[in-house]
Amino acid sequence: MQLTGYRDSAWWGAYWTNFLGEAPPWYKTTVIVFLLANPLLLYAFGGFVAGWILLLEFIFTLALALRCYPLQPGGLLAIEALLLGMTSPEHLYHEVENNLKVILLLVFMVAGIYFMKELLLFTFTKILVLIRNKMLLSVLFCFVAAFLSAFLDALTVTAVVISVVVGFYGVYHRVASGGGHVEDEVHEPHREDLDQFRSFLRSLAMHAAVGTALGGVTTIVGEPQNVLIADRMGWEFMEFFHRMSPVTMPVLVVGLLTCLILEKVKWFGYGPTIPAPVLTILSEYDAKEIARLVVQAVTAVLLIFALAFHIAEIGLIGLGVIVVQTAFNGIVEEHRLGHAFEEALPFTALLCVFFGIVAVISDQQLFQPVIDWVLTLPASQQPGVFYIANGVLSMISDNVFVATVYIGEVEKAFTDGIISQEQFDFLAVAINTGTNIPSVATPNGQAAFLFLLTSSLAPLIRLSYGRMVIMALPYTFTMGITGWACVTWLL
């Protein structure tokens, strides 16, 4: 009997150890409590309350992404929601199908950028070495990210930023750890410099991430919901830019000024400069394989033209980038190709899990009371309130989903004759800017922010969910309030 009890204990111990792997025991217990409580909550309070609790539980898994990658606990929550009938597999598939462009972008464009990392690292290293002023460097990173996001895509630009910052980190870390890998321990004399360098890179990464939001809101191609809204409204590239500009241009100026001020006052984790020993090592970095850089440079030019003229969906252009670069740089072994997909595929899987939560939000109509209330307000108040409602909901949900729900309801109100064409135009601007600008508050709303949080870069520079929220806070206030003021008084 004693032996049997011991074996049972060992079996349960093995299952407990394997469940969520290296996650802390309290985290494992919390996830199990979530899974046990959800059926009871659904039975006792109905789908609306249970849906909101499920959403908060999923946000919990995102907030603790550095404790445990959210795919597993979030995936268990999504599977349970499907089993409980809070949404259906058909609706989940529909959400995935609607976001196929984003999925293709993540799978292929991010991998394509991986094969351009030497060129990106070489270029940005020159910028970092030549521009010694941290304030100017930060504004440049923010502005370049904004400019690129306006013509490319925020996720693509974020992939570039991640590649560049990981490259910076890797160059110094290999020297500081005696030539080892990124995971190796750093020698004691370099530890203080590495901590400061992490803070320096963390601030640059956040400035660039905010820049993707500043630029992404301005044009059709910047964010996925921009395409959706433009399609519903019948707006072409220049008309979309023109209609958004009364809000987006003042917000861009305020965002860049916020960047300058944060670096000046050194609040919210901004202000650290690059340590002198690190700068010396980066200054000595030089790309020796010039032929590889030439191929990457030519491919980069072709990429810009392909994206500018939109010759195909962005993800398929990324696939072309992979083929051209690997063919002409001699990367023809399967295992060498596989490394390019390691960064994006876990996040792509997580995004598909998130679409399951989005399907629950839709089926349980979690946002419907807000929409109904706003449409009862006077027409003059509706744009400002829509902006706030979209902003708040985008902070806790996916901004693409929020924009999809709101533009659909507003279009229905227009079709039913409840609002005029002019009011429809104003509300479309409020929805687009409301989902893009205040959503920088958390990684939940911006796919680019979530990508950064769950990337391999985040643990290297100690960028947690909480730290990301704190560093985004000043931008949220300055840009969010400016956007609301412009929507309220300039439209």
Side-chain angles (χ1 to χ4, degrees):
M1 289 292 293
Q2 222 174 15
L3 182 59
T4 303
Y6 172 78
R7 285 175 177 173
D8 289 342
S9 176
W11 274 107
W12 281 112
Y15 282 124
W16 177 253
T17 301
N18 290 338
F19 178 67
L20 299 183
E22 298 297 322
W26 63 264
Y27 184 95
K28 298 181 182 183
T29 303
T30 303
V31 172
I32 291 174
V33 169
F34 287 165
L35 294 171
L36 294 175
N38 287 335
L40 301 176
L41 292 168
L42 179 63
Y43 177 78
F45 300 105
F48 186 83
V49 172
W52 271 107
I53 293 174
L54 179 74
L55 177 59
L56 294 175
E57 290 169 353
F58 187 76
I59 292 172
F60 169 85
T61 68
L62 296 178
L64 294 171
L66 296 185
R67 295 283 188 177
C68 177
Y69 193 72
L71 174 62
Q72 289 76 25
L76 290 173
L77 292 172
I79 291 171
E80 183 181 51
L82 288 167
L83 294 174
L84 293 175
M86 299 177 73
T87 189
S88 65
E90 292 77 18
H91 194 165
L92 171 57
Y93 179 79
H94 179 66
E95 292 293 338
V96 173
E97 189 177 36
N98 285 344
N99 289 276
L100 181 60
K101 295 178 183 179
V102 178
I103 293 171
L104 287 175
L105 184 152
L106 283 168
V107 173
F108 294 125
M109 183 58 80
V110 173
I113 295 298
Y114 174 88
F115 291 111
M116 297 172 63
K117 63 182 180 180
E118 290 98 340
L119 176 66
L120 293 169
L121 182 57
F122 178 81
T123 303
F124 279 89
T125 299
K126 294 301 181 186
I127 293 174
L128 188 144
V129 170
L130 292 174
I131 300 176
R132 304 295 179 87
N133 186 302
K134 176 65 186 308
M135 292 174 61
L136 180 59
L137 183 65
S138 298
V139 171
L140 183 63
F141 261 69
C142 189
F143 178 78
V144 169
F147 180 81
L148 291 175
S149 295
F151 294 98
L152 305 182
D153 176 272
L155 277 171
T156 303
V157 176
T158 304
V160 171
V161 170
I162 290 170
S163 294
V164 168
V165 178
V166 168
F168 285 159
Y169 184 90
V171 168
Y172 176 68
H173 200 291
R174 280 192 294 274
V175 175
S177 60
H181 297 289
V182 171
E183 292 80 5
D184 291 341
E185 282 297 316
V186 176
H187 298 162
E188 192 62 39
H190 299 286
R191 195 176 302 279
E192 187 175 341
D193 288 336
L194 182 61
D195 290 340
Q196 185 179 340
F197 190 40
R198 278 182 174 135
S199 300
F200 171 81
L201 293 178
R202 193 163 56 233
S203 63
L204 284 185
M206 282 301 298
H207 287 314
V210 171
T212 64
L214 287 171
V217 68
T218 60
T219 66
I220 288 178
V221 298
E223 294 280 358
Q225 67 265 35
N226 300 13
V227 180
L228 172 70
I229 291 172
D231 183 60
R232 296 286 184 95
M233 304 304 297
W235 295 342
E236 298 298 331
F237 188 94
M238 288 309 299
E239 184 178 4
F240 184 94
F241 176 82
H242 175 72
R243 288 185 178 275
M244 297 296 159
S245 59
V247 182
T248 56
M249 291 302 103
V251 169
L252 174 62
V253 172
V254 169
L256 294 176
L257 288 174
T258 303
C259 177
L260 273 174
I261 293 169
L262 287 172
E263 287 298 327
K264 179 69 175 177
V265 300
K266 299 181 177 7
W267 291 351
F268 298 95
Y270 294 101
T273 56
I274 185 169
V278 179
L279 184 61
T280 301
I281 290 171
L282 290 178
S283 300
E284 295 170 355
Y285 171 78
D286 191 18
K288 294 181 172 59
E289 299 182 50
I290 301 300
R292 292 171 63 86
L293 292 180
V294 170
V295 171
Q296 291 178 25
V298 171
T299 307
V301 173
L302 295 175
L303 172 62
I304 292 170
F305 274 100
L307 291 168
F309 291 101
H310 197 67
I311 64 172
E313 289 301 330
I314 297 174
L316 298 180
I317 294 172
L319 178 58
V321 168
I322 294 172
V323 172
V324 171
Q325 290 194 108
T326 54
F328 287 93
N329 279 329
I331 303 172
V332 292
E333 295 84 9
E334 184 179 2
H335 69 276
R336 294 178 67 192
L337 289 170
H339 293 305
F341 295 91
E342 290 175 357
E343 182 70 55
L345 284 183
F347 178 72
T348 306
L350 173 61
L351 200 61
C352 290
V353 166
F354 186 57
F355 293 148
I357 305 300
V358 167
V360 171
I361 293 172
S362 178
D363 285 344
Q364 302 303 323
Q365 298 184 325
L366 302 189
F367 296 166
Q368 193 63 43
V370 179
I371 297 171
D372 293 339
W373 171 70
V374 174
L375 288 176
T376 63
L377 297 174
S380 60
Q381 297 179 19
Q382 287 180 9
V385 176
F386 256 105
Y387 176 90
I388 294 172
N390 277 266
V392 172
L393 293 175
S394 292
M395 292 177 189
I396 60 174
S397 180
D398 172 49
N399 59 2
V400 178
F401 167 73
V402 174
T404 303
V405 172
Y406 272 81
I407 196 64
E409 292 298 321
V410 170
E411 185 180 35
K412 183 176 181 296
F414 170 70
T415 304
D416 294 342
I418 299 174
I419 59 175
S420 65
Q421 177 67 58
E422 183 182 35
Q423 186 71 359
F424 188 23
D425 293 341
F426 290 158
L427 293 182
V429 174
I431 291 169
N432 186 67
T433 53
T435 53
N436 274 299
I437 297 170
S439 57
V440 301
T442 71
N444 302 40
Q446 290 273 355
F449 277 45
L450 186 60
F451 186 29
L452 176 60
L453 175 68
T454 57
S455 70
S456 60
L457 173 63
L460 298 181
I461 60 175
R462 305 297 187 263
L463 184 63
S464 64
Y465 187 100
R467 182 167 283 175
M468 205 169 186
V469 170
I470 291 172
M471 295 184 77
L473 187 62
Y475 282 111
T476 304
F477 275 100
T478 57
M479 291 161 48
I481 292 172
T482 302
W484 173 82
C486 292
V487 165
T488 303
W489 289 301
L490 295 185
L491 290 183

